[in-house]
Amino acid sequence: MVLIGGNLLGWVWPCHAATVLHVAPDGNDGASGGEGSPLASLRGARDAVRKLRQGGTVDGPVTVEFADGTYFQKEPVEFNSRDGGTETSPVIYRAAEGAKPVFSAGEVLTGFKPSADNSGVWTLDLPEVKSGSRYFEALWVNGRRAVRARMPKRGFFYMRQADEEVIVPGTPNPRHVDQLFELHRPRPVSSRMVVQAESGDMASLRGVPPDEVKDIRVVVYHKWDNTIRFLEAIDCDKETFSTLGQGMMGSDYWDNTSGYYFENYLGALTDPGEWFLSRKGTLYYKPLPGEDVAQARVVAPVTAKFLVLKGDWAGGKPIACLTFDGISFSYAQGVLPPEGFEPQQAAANTDASIVIDGARNVTFQNCEISHVGDYALWFRRGCEQDAVRHCFLTDMGAGGIKVGEPGIPADPKAATGKIEIDNNILRGGGRVLPCAVGLFVGQSGDNSLTHNEISDFFYSGISAGYTWGYRKNPAARNRISFNRIHLIGQGVLSDLGGIYILGPSPGTTIGNNVIYQVDGLYYQATGIYRHQAK
């Protein structure tokens, strides 16, 4: 402690010289990282920082500065416990002064040619897709998420009837959250849904080759949820189609109020701005009026994640004192598994383009995360005292930021809490999974969600807590204040809120938020929704 003029000033830490490494798109990962000899990538910079620390040549702060430009990556960069710093020797990855570096998980596609049939469609051959080594489910043209070919073009078809054929019955489990809604019926392990379409709704499927039916997706909007499945079979004469998957919940089933659309088949590629990728290796795109495909910047994602931070939460060795400042992350993959997406409120188990486990004092500030297939960022397991500040998140396949997990962790060390989400803009989510939310807090407490603007989502803006009933849970003492939440729901889902609190939340405070333009489809769309099912 230091005493000056009778004032106790607290600890004064020894001063250490800062080490600065430089990175540029035209650099070399074998270089020194000096100002005239820059490294070339985030991975190269991470390795250089490791060498500096392991060699004992630095004991002060380490800053990595990225020059202007795009840094392409074909796989996520992984950080572990040895890649962090300390309070007196933090590690900072930041944009150089005046620079706007972008970490891109996508590839720029070139070589499109107009099709010979004068349809206005342009095509590109992709041998790696034909060989089965690559596939993607999103495409961006000049920064715009292109529309995967679908029918109907806008709005939905509606089912005349939906019947469930149980294949494997469910087993009662009173602790499973679904059972609280099951209406005395266990959820089947697997079943077949057979849908009777309205007359004419399947016309565009007529003539689809049998081997291509399995790649057609049906996206269903029901109650507060979505289901996305691949078609099992179609009968255009009888106007029926079927899908396979997990059985329906007793309260969240398909019926004649469920809207749906078909996507991902060549017969649906009719409107400008749409695209389709054939397993035979041809990418089809129909440009917007005035759009020159030969000059356009067409980007397809390569990998699903930018960063994976894996601190050892179980062993007490977190990643600590690590900051990303002024960096943009864009164009990440999101591919559904063969079984598709089973309904789950808030898409709570969906992955993210940046996943963080075992972190202390890890901060993202002044960053942008855009054009991603899943959630943008997830403080998943064993995280504490981390922060996201002054960031812009947009064009997300699922939601914005997740804190904690939907299930209560068996090991208390795995609990996540005390996360600060402050002064961010989250705009444009649910582009693939509409049931996702802007900010999701699962079984996690003592978090601060403040001064954020959240808009243009199809379910809730903020969802905190994930317990049905009155069971004790960790989602306590969360602070949700001074947020601006609007354009939520947009009339396509039900049972939602600008702020949605699920289950007991002792000590949680909600105040000074501005919430407007919250619209549901059939029922329950409110500014603040407190839900505790008995």
Side-chain angles (χ1 to χ4, degrees):
M1 306 293 283
V2 176
L3 187 68
I4 298 178
N7 297 307
L8 191 62
L9 299 182
W11 291 106
V12 176
W13 298 101
C15 182
H16 299 282
T19 299
V20 180
L21 296 174
H22 299 270
V23 188
D26 58 353
N28 186 325
D29 280 339
S32 66
E35 192 166 4
S37 183
L39 300 159
S41 69
L42 175 60
R43 185 181 301 277
R46 179 209 62 185
D47 292 345
V49 173
R50 282 182 180 176
K51 290 179 181 178
L52 286 172
R53 290 195 172 280
Q54 291 170 354
T57 57
V58 297
D59 60 357
V62 176
T63 298
V64 179
E65 292 194 345
F66 290 85
D68 205 21
T70 301
Y71 299 82
F72 293 98
Q73 54 185 97
K74 294 185 177 181
E75 58 187 5
V77 180
E78 183 175 308
F79 288 72
N80 58 37
S81 301
R82 57 181 168 160
D83 296 313
T86 66
E87 290 184 6
T88 57
S89 182
V91 178
I92 302 170
Y93 292 84
R94 72 184 184 194
E97 185 175 357
K100 296 181 179 180
V102 178
F103 297 164
S104 175
E107 174 192 10
V108 178
L109 302 180
T110 59
F112 282 86
K113 298 178 180 179
S115 58
D117 59 5
N118 294 318
S119 63
V121 173
W122 289 60
T123 63
L124 176 66
D125 291 331
L126 297 171
E128 63 272 28
V129 172
K130 184 176 182 179
S131 69
S133 62
R134 183 185 181 190
Y135 194 68
F136 51 86
E137 297 186 354
L139 190 75
W140 290 270
V141 182
N142 295 329
R144 172 188 57 85
R145 185 187 289 264
V147 177
R148 209 171 186 195
R150 57 164 282 181
M151 290 295 289
K153 300 304 177 184
R154 295 172 185 81
F156 307 101
F157 294 134
Y158 285 90
M159 303 173 181
R160 177 179 295 178
Q161 184 174 324
D163 296 309
E164 183 174 21
E165 300 175 357
V166 175
I167 298 173
V168 180
T171 302
N173 178 0
R175 288 190 61 80
H176 194 290
V177 293
D178 291 346
Q179 299 302 319
L180 296 169
F181 289 119
E182 277 305 306
L183 306 181
H184 310 292
R185 167 185 173 271
R187 187 176 183 180
V189 174
S190 66
S191 69
R192 173 180 289 107
M193 293 300 297
V194 180
V195 175
Q196 177 69 56
E198 293 288 356
S199 179
D201 287 354
M202 294 180 60
S204 65
L205 297 176
R206 192 174 294 276
V208 174
D211 63 334
E212 294 184 10
V213 169
K214 65 181 182 300
D215 274 332
I216 300 175
R217 305 199 313 190
V218 57
V219 182
V220 185
Y221 290 61
H222 50 106
K223 309 298 189 293
W224 59 88
D225 243 328
N226 301 102
T227 303
I228 303 177
R229 289 193 184 160
F230 297 94
L231 296 184
E232 177 199 27
I234 59 175
D235 188 327
C236 292
D237 293 327
K238 295 182 179 180
E239 297 187 304
T240 63
F241 64 88
S242 63
T243 71
L244 295 173
Q246 191 175 357
M248 293 288 108
M249 287 172 56
S251 65
D252 192 16
Y253 44 83
W254 300 0
D255 60 16
N256 59 7
T257 68
S258 301
Y260 71 94
Y261 60 85
F262 301 112
E263 71 173 5
N264 194 41
Y265 57 108
L266 190 56
L269 182 61
T270 59
D271 282 17
E274 290 188 323
W275 69 282
F276 167 68
L277 178 61
S278 167
R279 295 280 184 179
K280 296 176 182 178
T282 301
L283 173 61
Y284 300 82
Y285 175 68
K286 189 165 187 175
L288 295 171
E291 192 172 56
D292 184 351
V293 181
Q295 301 298 321
R297 192 171 192 269
V298 182
V299 179
V302 175
T303 186
K305 291 181 174 64
F306 306 107
L307 301 174
V308 176
L309 276 58
K310 297 178 66 174
D312 182 6
W313 56 265
K317 297 179 180 179
I319 297 176
C321 300
L322 177 66
T323 296
F324 293 89
D325 186 358
I327 306 294
S328 292
F329 303 87
S330 291
Y331 301 115
Q333 176 75 296
V335 175
L336 290 183
E339 62 271 20
F341 174 79
E342 293 295 341
Q344 182 184 41
Q345 185 167 342
N349 271 329
T350 301
D351 215 334
S353 65
I354 297 175
V355 178
I356 306 163
D357 292 322
R360 298 287 186 277
N361 296 311
V362 168
T363 299
F364 289 81
Q365 61 189 29
N366 306 311
C367 291
E368 178 178 319
I369 306 174
S370 61
H371 313 312
V372 299
D374 299 313
Y375 269 84
L377 192 151
W378 188 4
F379 292 99
R380 184 171 59 180
R381 196 170 297 138
C383 296
E384 189 173 296
Q385 296 178 333
D386 305 309
V388 183
R389 304 187 189 103
H390 300 252
C391 291
F392 178 47
L393 283 63
T394 187
D395 187 22
M396 297 156 283
I401 301 172
K402 293 203 296 180
V403 177
E405 299 179 273
I408 298 175
D411 187 339
K413 294 179 182 178
T416 284
K418 300 180 181 177
I419 308 299
E420 177 189 343
I421 312 294
D422 181 67
N423 253 303
N424 304 285
I425 296 174
L426 299 91
R427 182 182 301 156
R431 272 36 192 174
V432 178
L433 303 177
C435 60
V437 302
L439 294 178
F440 172 85
V441 177
Q443 302 291 0
S444 176
D446 299 294
N447 303 291
S448 177
L449 284 60
T450 54
H451 305 101
N452 301 288
E453 180 175 359
I454 302 166
S455 66
D456 193 6
F457 286 82
F458 301 108
Y459 187 48
S460 296
I462 295 175
S463 179
Y466 211 72
T467 297
W468 285 259
Y470 298 90
R471 288 185 294 122
K472 184 178 179 180
N473 66 84
R477 300 173 304 281
N478 290 305
R479 180 187 174 211
I480 305 172
S481 302
F482 296 99
N483 300 286
R484 184 171 182 252
I485 304 168
H486 59 107
L487 198 58
I488 300 299
Q490 302 185 54
V492 297
L493 290 172
S494 304
D495 203 54
L496 56 93
I499 298 173
Y500 188 122
I501 305 297
L502 181 55
S505 302
T508 290
T509 59
I510 303 173
N512 298 293
N513 300 284
V514 176
I515 306 170
Y516 58 100
Q517 288 181 296
V518 179
D519 298 304
L521 178 59
Y522 291 118
Y523 66 97
Q524 195 64 48
T526 61
I528 298 175
Y529 182 6
R530 174 71 184 276
H531 185 200
Q532 283 186 246
K534 295 181 180 180

